[in-house]
Amino acid sequence: MQQKDQSLPKKITSGRLGKKFAILIILFSSCFTLLSTSLQLGLDYRADISRIEQQFQNIQTSYLQAITLSVWSLDDSQIETQLVGLSQLPDIEYVSIIVDGEINWEVGEARSAANRTVDLPLDYTAPGISSQNIGSLRVTASIDNVYQRLINKAGVILISNGIKTFLVSGFILLLVWFYFNRHLKTISDYLKDIDLTRTVEPLQLKKKTAPAKEDEIDNVANTINQMCRSLHKSYEELNQNKLHLQELVKERDALLVSEREHKEHLEEKVTERTQQLQDSMNNLRSAQDLLVETEKMAALGNMVAGVAHEINTPIGVCRTAASFQADHSKIIRDKLKSSTLTQSDLNDFLDGVDESSTLFETNIVKASKLISSFKQIATDQSYDACQHFTFDEYLESSIQTILPQYKHSNVNFSIDVEPDIEMESYPGAYHQILSNLINNTTLHGFDKETGGTISISGRSDNGDLILDYRDDGRGLSSEEAKKLFEPFFTTKRGKGGSGLGMSIVYNIVARQLGGRISLQDSDKGIHVRIQTPLIVKKALPDE
């Protein structure tokens, strides 16, 4: 109500928004006026200085020769007339003629504190007479006049712009009040009086606007009316929900009592189910251990079959050589009985005996080495005792027992192991690791027809053995790599893959050897790195 009693000027100037607009316009206009005025005054100053310099140039070109003739002829009246004419030029306040260092003629007075003075030489020339300097013309121009004009002009510009800025600011204040402030005040008063407990009357602005010509203020008013209706509806729904919530709270209290009773019964069920799960886990561990042992026995059986097949070759050669030697011995004996034995026949027989003896020795040594390697590996696999051994020598024996299994599989081996690595560990575990890795590569990584190359390298590093196993097979996808060491994960389910090979390797490395195994990045195939201590005091307990 107080706003209605105020006069129009007070209404216009009472709005903060309008004041802000006016202040910003005044500041911008003032800055722009000062900048433009400074630029204009600078240009005018340069133009006035240039005009004074042009005056000096005009005097030199137009008046200097005539003044020189007048001084030469000592025509005082003419000189006075010429000097008075020069002093009448714009901004020229003092003119004098100096002869032999003394002022002989002068007009005007140099009163300005800021001025510009030039001395122009009076050189007389005539036919038959060389050029002679008879004195100089001193001309003084006032700079104070230039400054005064600039000050007057600046005052006019600033006053005119100040009046213009005042009028524009006042007009803007009026527009802001008419189009914004008075409507905002109405909206503010309306929002202060909203009571959601009763039906809200729509907001009415003090303006008449056709629906097709509604502006942003009208849109705000319409939005506020819609918001008030929605709030009133939401408030009624909230009251209904409050009543419903109170009913739900009562039901909840009843459910809590029932839940407490059910919880006590559930705890008994959970204890019983936990015991069942523990029993299942124990059974699962037993089954897993049995599967691991089965896998190890299967690997040992494959190794036995391979070694047996490999021993057949040298034994067969020995048998053939023995049969050959027996046949030739019978022939020699028959010829000896019939007295037809010659020196040549005896020499051929002895040469054959020597060759057979060489074959016997070579193949028996080969079979002996295979049997020794198999015996050592089989003993390590069976007893799995912690013992002292040299890793490169044991690796060579282990590979010798594994090679026969892949003799016809187009699999090539590349071994690069640091020599004389002394270890106190479980040699059978390393054989099992290599056997599973090679079997995994040939089964999952290599094509049966093309085969591939397996590279095994080893070195010692700060009390650890670093064993790198690589192949150039098909490799693994990102999903397969994540599940590589999980039990029962295989890429050839039902095609010979049990899914336990790499899981067994992981358990042997982590639990028995106390080391780490990881899958490294590789451009082709897989790269498995195994790091184990050179000295293992005792087997780590199973978790």
Side-chain angles (χ1 to χ4, degrees):
M1 296 298 293
Q2 185 178 358
Q3 181 70 17
K4 295 181 179 180
D5 297 334
Q6 291 179 348
S7 60
L8 182 60
K10 289 184 178 180
K11 291 181 180 180
I12 294 174
T13 57
S14 62
R16 293 183 179 179
L17 187 61
K19 289 180 181 179
K20 289 182 180 180
F21 273 107
I23 291 172
L24 290 175
I25 291 172
I26 291 172
L27 290 175
F28 176 77
S29 179
S30 300
C31 294
F32 181 77
T33 299
L34 290 175
L35 181 62
S36 60
T37 302
S38 300
L39 180 62
Q40 183 63 42
L41 292 178
L43 294 175
D44 291 345
Y45 175 77
R46 292 181 61 182
D48 288 344
I49 295 300
S50 298
R51 189 178 65 255
I52 291 174
E53 294 293 337
Q54 187 64 38
Q55 288 278 31
F56 291 151
Q57 187 68 28
N58 291 338
I59 292 173
Q60 183 176 5
T61 57
S62 301
Y63 295 92
L64 194 60
Q65 186 63 33
I67 294 174
T68 301
L69 292 176
S70 299
V71 173
W72 176 262
S73 60
L74 299 176
D75 188 349
D76 292 337
S77 62
Q78 183 64 24
I79 291 172
E80 290 291 338
T81 301
Q82 291 172 336
L83 293 181
V84 170
L86 289 177
S87 66
Q88 299 299 319
L89 294 175
D91 297 321
I92 303 299
E93 64 178 5
Y94 175 72
V95 184
S96 62
I97 296 175
I98 301 173
V99 178
D100 296 332
E102 296 182 356
I103 298 175
N104 290 16
W105 297 276
E106 63 178 348
V107 173
E109 182 180 358
R111 296 180 300 273
S112 301
N115 54 48
R116 178 73 182 277
T117 300
V118 294
D119 289 333
L120 303 175
L122 299 175
D123 296 329
Y124 177 75
T125 58
I129 301 175
S130 60
S131 176
Q132 296 182 15
N133 182 268
I134 59 175
S136 62
L137 174 65
R138 176 169 293 174
V139 182
T140 300
S142 174
I143 304 299
D144 284 348
N145 294 335
V146 175
Y147 291 157
Q148 188 60 42
R149 285 197 300 272
L150 292 178
I151 291 173
N152 294 338
K153 189 171 185 179
V156 173
I157 293 174
L158 292 176
I159 291 173
S160 61
N161 278 280
I163 295 173
K164 180 178 65 177
T165 301
F166 176 77
L167 294 176
V168 170
S169 300
F171 182 67
I172 288 176
L173 280 174
L174 177 62
L175 291 179
V176 170
W177 173 82
F178 185 79
Y179 286 104
F180 295 100
N181 284 359
R182 66 191 186 107
H183 299 310
L184 292 177
K185 183 66 169 59
T186 302
I187 293 173
S188 176
D189 294 338
Y190 174 80
L191 294 176
K192 288 179 181 178
D193 296 336
I194 286 180
D195 185 4
L196 296 178
T197 59
R198 56 185 178 82
T199 304
V200 181
E201 296 294 331
L203 172 64
Q204 298 291 337
L205 298 178
K206 298 177 181 178
K207 55 185 298 189
K208 296 181 180 180
T209 306
K213 296 182 179 180
E214 289 184 348
D215 54 19
E216 287 78 3
I217 296 295
D218 294 316
N219 293 335
V220 170
N222 294 334
T223 303
I224 289 175
N225 287 331
Q226 183 178 1
M227 180 189 68
C228 290
R229 289 192 295 269
S230 299
L231 286 174
H232 180 69
K233 182 179 179 181
S234 299
Y235 182 78
E236 292 181 346
E237 293 177 353
L238 182 62
N239 285 333
Q240 294 177 0
N241 292 335
K242 182 179 178 181
L243 296 175
H244 181 62
L245 183 60
Q246 291 175 351
E247 295 177 358
L248 292 177
V249 169
K250 294 180 181 179
E251 295 177 1
R252 184 203 62 179
D253 293 339
L255 289 174
L256 285 176
V257 175
S258 175
E259 182 183 4
R260 192 178 299 110
E261 297 174 354
H262 178 69
K263 185 177 180 181
E264 294 174 357
H265 178 68
L266 184 62
E267 288 177 353
E268 298 176 358
K269 288 288 185 181
V270 169
T271 302
E272 180 182 353
R273 183 59 59 86
T274 302
Q275 185 60 42
Q276 293 176 356
L277 290 175
Q278 185 65 37
D279 295 339
S280 299
M281 288 295 295
N282 294 334
N283 294 334
L284 182 61
R285 287 195 182 97
S286 300
Q288 185 175 354
D289 292 338
L290 179 60
L291 286 173
V292 170
E293 291 300 322
T294 303
E295 187 78 11
K296 291 172 67 176
M297 291 299 103
L300 187 59
N302 291 334
M303 182 179 66
V304 170
V307 171
H309 181 271
E310 193 68 15
I311 289 177
N312 280 339
T313 300
I315 296 299
V317 171
C318 291
R319 183 177 180 183
T320 301
S323 176
F324 173 81
Q325 189 169 333
D327 293 341
H328 280 69
S329 295
K330 184 177 181 301
I331 293 172
I332 292 297
R333 187 178 294 107
D334 293 339
K335 287 185 177 183
L336 182 61
K337 288 180 179 181
S338 62
S339 298
T340 59
L341 180 65
T342 65
Q343 184 68 32
S344 175
D345 292 335
L346 181 59
N347 289 335
D348 290 340
F349 174 72
L350 293 176
D351 290 339
V353 170
D354 290 339
E355 184 178 355
S356 297
S357 298
T358 302
L359 288 175
F360 276 129
E361 182 180 3
T362 302
N363 286 278
I364 288 174
V365 169
K366 182 177 180 182
S368 176
K369 287 184 178 179
L370 285 172
I371 293 171
S372 297
S373 298
F374 170 73
K375 180 181 178 182
Q376 178 65 37
I377 299 303
T379 302
D380 294 336
Q381 286 288 92
S382 300
Y383 295 102
D384 204 17
C386 183
Q387 55 186 289
H388 180 272
F389 63 96
T390 303
F391 181 75
D392 58 318
E393 296 177 357
Y394 183 81
L395 179 65
E396 182 179 359
S397 300
S398 179
I399 294 297
Q400 287 296 327
T401 61
I402 296 175
L403 279 176
Q405 304 176 45
Y406 307 102
K407 185 175 181 180
H408 304 290
S409 301
N410 294 325
V411 178
N412 300 315
F413 289 86
S414 174
I415 310 299
D416 181 18
V417 178
E418 179 183 331
D420 301 327
I421 300 178
E422 301 294 331
M423 299 188 69
E424 192 77 26
S425 187
Y426 300 90
Y430 288 98
H431 177 81
Q432 183 71 40
I433 290 170
L434 290 174
S435 178
N436 284 18
L437 287 174
I438 295 171
N439 182 63
N440 187 73
T441 293
T442 56
L443 181 62
H444 302 281
F446 288 163
D447 184 83
K448 291 184 178 180
E449 296 180 358
T450 59
T453 300
I454 294 174
S455 301
I456 301 173
S457 61
R459 57 186 173 85
S460 60
D461 181 24
N462 294 328
D464 287 342
L465 172 68
I466 308 298
L467 184 64
D468 288 300
Y469 177 90
R470 297 179 175 87
D471 68 42
D472 57 358
R474 72 173 187 87
L476 296 170
S477 67
S478 59
E479 292 299 322
E480 291 172 346
K482 293 178 182 178
K483 300 178 179 180
L484 179 61
F485 301 112
E486 293 182 4
F488 307 108
F489 170 73
T490 178
T491 59
K492 290 193 175 182
R493 180 74 63 189
K495 298 181 180 179
S498 65
L500 288 174
M502 294 306 292
S503 176
I504 292 173
V505 171
Y506 180 86
N507 286 328
I508 292 174
V509 173
R511 298 166 65 179
Q512 184 176 3
L513 301 179
R516 297 189 299 274
I517 182 171
S518 59
L519 187 64
Q520 306 292 313
D521 293 334
S522 178
D523 295 333
K524 187 176 182 181
I526 66 168
H527 176 193
V528 177
R529 171 163 292 177
I530 298 172
Q531 182 174 356
T532 57
L534 296 177
I535 299 176
V536 178
K537 298 300 182 182
K538 59 180 180 178
L540 299 177
D542 290 345
E543 295 178 0

